[in-house]
Amino acid sequence: MTGDLTIRSAGEADIPRLLDLYRHLNPDDLPADPKQARDALARLVVIPGSAVLLAEDTDPTEAGGAGTLVGSVTLVVIPNLSRSAAPYALIENVVTHAEHRRRGIGRALLHDAARRAWAEGCYKVMLMTGSTRPSTLAFYRAAGFTQDKTGFQMRRLGRRRDG
């Protein structure tokens, strides 16, 4: 990073840069149609506490304009009937731009997402990864997540190739 890291919620104007960033998450995916992406973001943000969080590297020497989008996570707060009706949170789409990795951006995003979840009264924050790479698993552990549950899923799309 060249400047300061700012984490904020995404808005409609961020969609083009966010879709570009997602190429660093799943390079083989077809990009989302911008209108469909705007509609999906609009549906997501009406769920209290939920947001697409953006990490921007802001260079204080540049006048005006947005910072460089270097990372993102999606936080969804899910209402719940168990655990005394305490909600829980799901983190998805954790991505850092390939040129900005290993600088603490992903960890900062995960910690900000967890802070927001705790502020919403969530009793847990969970995430899943399709990666089996030791470095990816170590990243999540170092960020404070434990791997003490068994996850299952059912998909319509094929598995990720990075395994």
Side-chain angles (χ1 to χ4, degrees):
M1 292 183 310
T2 57
D4 294 321
L5 189 68
T6 301
I7 298 177
R8 64 175 179 82
S9 296
E12 185 177 326
D14 296 304
I15 294 291
R17 293 189 313 143
L18 185 58
L19 294 180
D20 189 49
L21 178 67
Y22 283 154
R23 290 183 307 132
H24 296 269
L25 179 62
N26 294 309
D28 296 332
D29 279 1
L30 292 174
D33 172 76
K35 182 189 180 326
Q36 289 177 323
R38 283 191 302 275
D39 291 348
L41 180 62
R43 286 191 309 275
L44 177 78
V45 298
V46 298
I47 304 168
S50 300
V52 175
L53 302 177
L54 305 179
E56 289 180 315
D57 182 3
T58 54
D59 186 345
T61 63
E62 290 185 23
T68 302
L69 184 59
V70 294
S72 180
V73 301
T74 299
L75 173 68
V76 181
V77 174
I78 302 166
N80 187 30
L81 296 176
S82 67
R83 300 288 179 152
S84 301
Y88 58 94
L90 176 66
I91 292 177
E92 183 68 20
N93 298 327
V94 179
V95 59
T96 300
H97 190 289
E99 294 175 10
H100 297 270
R101 292 183 180 154
R102 299 197 176 278
R103 299 180 187 177
I105 295 164
R107 182 184 294 208
L109 279 162
L110 290 172
H111 287 180
D112 193 79
R115 179 190 58 77
R116 291 169 186 247
W118 305 146
E120 290 293 322
C122 292
Y123 80 94
K124 72 177 175 180
V125 177
M126 60 185 172
L127 62 80
M128 292 177 65
T129 180
S131 177
T132 57
R133 282 183 261 162
S135 60
T136 301
L137 302 179
F139 162 72
Y140 288 121
R141 284 188 201 102
F145 287 84
T146 58
Q147 192 176 12
D148 58 357
K149 289 204 169 203
T150 303
F152 292 90
Q153 64 178 337
M154 185 182 293
R155 287 181 169 254
R156 286 182 7 161
L157 302 175
R159 294 232 353 116
R160 289 172 45 156
R161 285 193 268 164
D162 72 349

